Amino acid sequence: MAQARFQPSRLDDIEYVEDYRPGGFHPVAIGDVFSQGRYRVVHKLGYGGSSTIWLARNRLGKLVTLKVMRAEVSSKPADEIPELAVPQKLSEYIQTQDPVARSNIQTVEDHFTEHGPNGSHLCLVSQLAGPSILSMSDSPGRVIGSRRLRGDLARKVAKQVVYAVELMHIAGFVHGDLTTSNILFRVAENVENWSDSDVYLNLGQPETEEIETRDHSPPGPHAPAQLVAPIDNALLTNPTLLQEDILLIDFGQSFSSSHPPTDYEPATVPHYQSPEARFEGRIGIPSDVWALACTIFEIRAGFPLFEAFLGGADEVLKEIVATLGKLPEPWWGAFENDHLWFDEDGKPKARELQQVLLPAEKTSIKQKLASIGSQDVPPPTGDDGPMMERPGTRLDEVEIQLLGDLLENMLRYRPQDRIKMNEVVSHPWFTDMDPRRRSPPHYERG
């Protein structure tokens, strides 16, 4: 591994600075212009493993999202870069099916190549979107789950996500990375037309830091002169700036369901990963259904269904088995550390026999749904705003049964046993909110 060249940044939430190198990130500064002056950088939105993401203004004065890809990713043919190819093909599909449909899928409005000291970088322009559902639930200093979406809004958002995923599947694509971090709220229409002064008044001035090398030599042309911190999440989650509608984003792990890549490696974080993805590296439409179930739970609860307190994949698997029961073979035999928590039947051992820091406790999806709101800590001052649930609000028994039924059927261990997306879309948790008429549906098993 190459020796680190730069001093670690003191800014929060900064990309890996050593990736400013040939083949890596393109150095970007506030005020830079792209594509012969068609786009000007105003602020920073964030970064990912393959790109940095910027708030930019187009020639019409509208604010947009500008994603600048790493050079080594950009070197592939356009139809092999899913971040570009999948949204383009989905957009074409939507236009042929219903040209006036308002899709909840973020599309690419423009793309071009930027040449720089680290190579040639594909740049993607998309409509500006707000914070993720994960960010909206962030509650520093409070019990996790204390801040979550209002119940009716959670159902509305979950239904929009379900429709977006169903559309992808009908169009022939697997998303591959369904998480609450990849679902963003739309911004209010007036936000797109803000002036630079409005941006800085509402979202703060860009916070920068001079980049420094460990040996005090000049940074050189491959790195920016300054690092830029992204916009503070607390400012982005202001409900007056948002619509109660979402966009599904990030197609870097997406692929055609009829032509899956032979070298595909699932990159979903462990607590959204299906058993076939974890144990066999196999992913498809049923894996999306599994991840979507985990996403729906988190949208409603404000915390993950399968929480990994210590962050390890085995911790997640422990939570899955404690909730859903023993894995089928050969997966159970491949769970090497099952003996730390479970007996041969997949049941948690007595606490004194587990001899681990965090023992397994038998639970269920419906028990977890019933626990929502039981440990809420209110905000230090005021409330969480009109989009969020009042602390201490619990799910009624009818919703626990209905949502529990939906999630249990989406989280069957074997992929072929999980319900299909058309059954998810038509489930009573989404379609029938009258408590006197709600009852779990009957499923046909194929």
Side-chain angles (χ1 to χ4, degrees):
M1 186 174 180
Q3 186 175 0
R5 182 165 178 255
F6 299 105
Q7 294 281 9
S9 175
R10 293 180 291 275
L11 298 175
D12 291 332
D13 203 19
I14 288 291
E15 63 272 15
Y16 183 50
V17 186
E18 302 299 329
D19 276 347
Y20 283 104
R21 54 169 178 76
F25 292 131
H26 177 63
V28 179
I30 302 299
D32 280 359
V33 293
F34 286 77
S35 189
Q36 292 81 48
R38 288 160 59 206
Y39 302 99
R40 176 174 55 84
V41 174
V42 178
H43 214 314
K44 186 178 182 182
L45 294 172
Y47 71 95
S50 60
S51 64
T52 54
I53 307 165
W54 302 85
L55 177 63
R57 188 180 304 284
N58 66 17
R59 274 185 174 166
L60 299 176
K62 184 179 176 182
L63 293 173
V64 295
T65 298
L66 174 65
K67 178 182 284 192
V68 185
M69 307 291 291
R70 293 165 61 113
E72 54 202 10
V73 175
S74 306
S75 63
K76 301 176 183 177
D79 61 356
E80 293 181 17
I81 301 175
E83 290 92 338
L84 173 61
V86 173
Q88 282 187 324
K89 291 173 183 175
L90 285 172
S91 183
E92 292 169 3
Y93 177 81
I94 293 166
Q95 289 298 316
T96 60
Q97 297 301 306
D98 184 356
V100 298
R102 189 187 189 197
S103 169
N104 291 106
I105 294 173
Q106 188 179 57
T107 56
V108 175
E109 297 177 348
D110 189 15
H111 68 279
F112 54 89
T113 299
E114 182 75 13
H115 304 286
N118 295 328
S120 297
H121 305 263
L122 176 66
C123 299
L124 308 177
V125 179
S126 302
Q127 64 209 101
L128 178 62
S132 67
I133 289 178
L134 179 64
S135 297
M136 289 290 286
S137 301
D138 190 27
S139 53
R142 298 160 66 185
V143 174
I144 186 171
S146 294
R147 180 181 162 92
R148 62 187 175 277
L149 296 178
R150 209 176 62 234
D152 64 302
L153 178 57
R155 282 188 293 275
K156 177 183 177 180
V157 163
K159 189 168 186 176
Q160 289 180 351
V161 176
V162 165
Y163 274 127
V165 174
E166 184 191 36
L167 187 150
M168 286 195 70
H169 290 177
I170 293 172
F173 292 97
V174 174
H175 186 281
D177 195 16
L178 292 170
T179 71
T180 52
S181 62
N182 286 333
I183 303 164
L184 308 185
F185 277 95
R186 292 178 183 267
V187 296
E189 291 182 6
N190 67 301
V191 172
E192 295 179 336
N193 298 314
W194 274 354
S195 67
D196 288 7
S197 297
D198 291 331
V199 170
Y200 300 139
L201 178 65
N202 287 277
L203 303 178
Q205 290 282 342
E207 185 181 0
T208 61
E209 175 189 60
E210 297 291 325
I211 197 165
E212 299 178 7
T213 58
R214 293 176 182 267
D215 62 4
H216 306 293
S217 63
H222 300 292
Q226 294 180 322
L227 295 170
V228 183
I231 295 167
D232 183 358
N233 178 62
L235 299 173
L236 275 176
T237 56
N238 182 343
T240 63
L241 308 181
L242 307 176
Q243 299 184 50
E244 295 191 350
D245 289 300
I246 58 89
L247 288 170
L248 179 63
I249 68 161
D250 197 348
F251 305 99
Q253 293 295 313
S254 303
F255 59 87
S256 168
S257 54
S258 60
H259 298 92
T262 55
D263 57 348
Y264 189 86
E265 293 184 13
T268 305
V269 290
H271 55 279
Y272 292 90
Q273 202 170 71
S274 64
E276 67 271 20
R278 175 190 166 108
F279 290 106
E280 300 175 13
R282 180 165 55 93
I283 192 169
I285 284 176
S287 309
D288 269 359
V289 172
W290 177 284
L292 180 59
C294 298
T295 300
I296 291 171
F297 178 92
E298 193 170 334
I299 289 171
R300 188 64 182 95
F303 60 87
L305 176 56
F306 305 121
E307 180 65 276
F309 292 100
L310 298 180
D314 275 1
E315 287 283 333
V316 174
L317 207 50
K318 174 203 73 172
E319 287 297 311
I320 291 174
V321 173
T323 306
L324 303 179
K326 183 178 178 180
L327 288 155
E329 294 293 355
W331 297 336
W332 180 250
F335 182 14
E336 294 179 355
N337 290 320
D338 62 316
H339 63 279
L340 296 176
W341 299 285
F342 304 102
D343 62 22
E344 293 180 355
D345 296 322
K347 297 177 181 178
K349 296 177 181 177
R351 274 178 168 260
E352 62 272 15
L353 298 178
Q354 293 192 41
Q355 297 180 337
V356 288
L357 181 63
L358 294 173
E361 296 183 21
K362 180 60 181 172
T363 185
S364 69
I365 291 173
K366 289 175 181 174
Q367 281 179 267
K368 291 190 174 188
L369 291 170
S371 75
I372 295 172
S374 63
Q375 299 184 55
D376 287 353
V377 174
T381 57
D383 58 34
D384 287 314
M387 294 177 71
M388 312 310 288
E389 191 123 90
R390 182 175 297 175
T393 303
R394 310 291 291 273
L395 276 64
D396 64 45
E397 184 60 31
V398 178
E399 184 176 9
I400 291 170
Q401 294 301 318
L402 274 180
L403 183 51
D405 174 81
L406 171 63
L407 299 179
E408 287 167 359
N409 282 283
M410 295 175 75
L411 292 167
R412 300 293 184 194
Y413 276 138
R414 297 197 181 280
Q416 64 270 26
D417 293 339
R418 294 172 206 152
I419 59 173
K420 306 298 187 287
M421 283 303 303
N422 65 312
E423 295 174 289
V424 176
V425 167
S426 61
H427 193 277
W429 186 67
F430 295 113
T431 61
D432 189 354
M433 295 314 302
D434 182 348
R436 295 167 298 178
R437 295 167 54 207
R438 290 187 253 174
S439 60
H442 171 72
Y443 301 104
E444 295 294 335
R445 295 291 175 205

